[in-house]
Amino acid sequence: MTRYDYPRAPARRDDGGGAPVFALMRAWAAGIVMLLITEYLQATLVYDHLASEEKLETFVGRLLLIHLPNATCIAVAAWAAGRVHREPYRDATAQHLTAVLAVPVAAQALNMSLQWQDLAAEGLLMSNAVLVVGCVTGYAAERLQED
């Protein structure tokens, strides 16, 4: 007889009292790892090879070389966090949104706090728009993949 054969025993080994917190932490860890990987790729591929002073002078250049890659990084991180957040906790909407959106929002808050003095109005507005677009895209892709 194993411990799972007893009445009121959890169905899985990790379904104890702290299981919802561990499910969130696991989702956040996946989001952080994917955000770090995609941001590293963005910095090494886009910034080092494609970005130049004359390309970044125009709004379209900044949009294509900074903001759209950032939205992609945020979407991938949100998607990964959502995919790793496991059942039955992903059925609770508030908890699942917390799992999906916490890493991108925390990264944005950290970025804003570190670069507050250097931000222009365009940078502030576009960074927040990129955050919203990336989060919505990542969450939608994760939910569509679930169906």
Side-chain angles (χ1 to χ4, degrees), residues 14 25 30 50 58 80-81 85 88 92 94-96 103 105 111 120 134 139-140 146:
D14 57 348
M25 290 176 26
L50 298 176
T58 65
H85 194 227
Q95 188 174 8
H96 191 60
V103 170
V105 170
N111 188 26
Y139 181 73
E146 186 176 297

Side-chain angles (χ1 to χ4, degrees), residues 4-142:
Y4 302 109
D5 294 333
Y6 293 105
R8 297 189 338 201
R12 293 174 41 160
R13 197 175 286 268
D14 57 348
D15 280 349
V21 175
F22 287 120
L24 279 174
M25 290 176 26
R26 192 170 151 216
W28 293 340
I32 290 169
V33 168
M34 289 308 294
L35 189 63
L36 289 174
I37 290 171
T38 55
E39 289 288 344
Y40 175 77
L41 290 173
Q42 177 186 2
T44 57
L45 297 176
V46 176
Y47 294 157
D48 289 347
H49 298 293
L50 298 176
S52 64
E53 288 293 324
E54 53 272 354
K55 289 181 182 176
L56 294 177
E57 287 178 358
T58 65
F59 176 76
V60 173
R62 288 188 301 274
L63 182 69
L64 293 175
L65 296 174
I66 295 174
H67 300 302
L68 288 179
N70 280 342
T72 303
C73 294
I74 291 170
V76 169
W79 170 82
R83 294 307 308 158
V84 171
H85 194 227
R86 68 178 181 86
E87 295 284 344
Y89 310 110
R90 70 185 312 137
D91 293 333
T93 305
Q95 188 174 8
H96 191 60
L97 282 173
T98 302
V100 171
L101 304 178
V103 170
V105 170
Q108 177 75 0
L110 177 66
N111 188 26
M112 290 291 175
S113 67
L114 292 176
Q115 299 179 358
W116 187 252
Q117 294 82 13
D118 300 330
L119 282 178
E122 176 192 332
L124 182 65
L125 292 173
M126 286 302 293
S127 292
N128 288 316
V130 162
L131 176 69
V132 170
V133 168
C135 286
V136 168
T137 304
Y139 181 73
E142 187 271 326

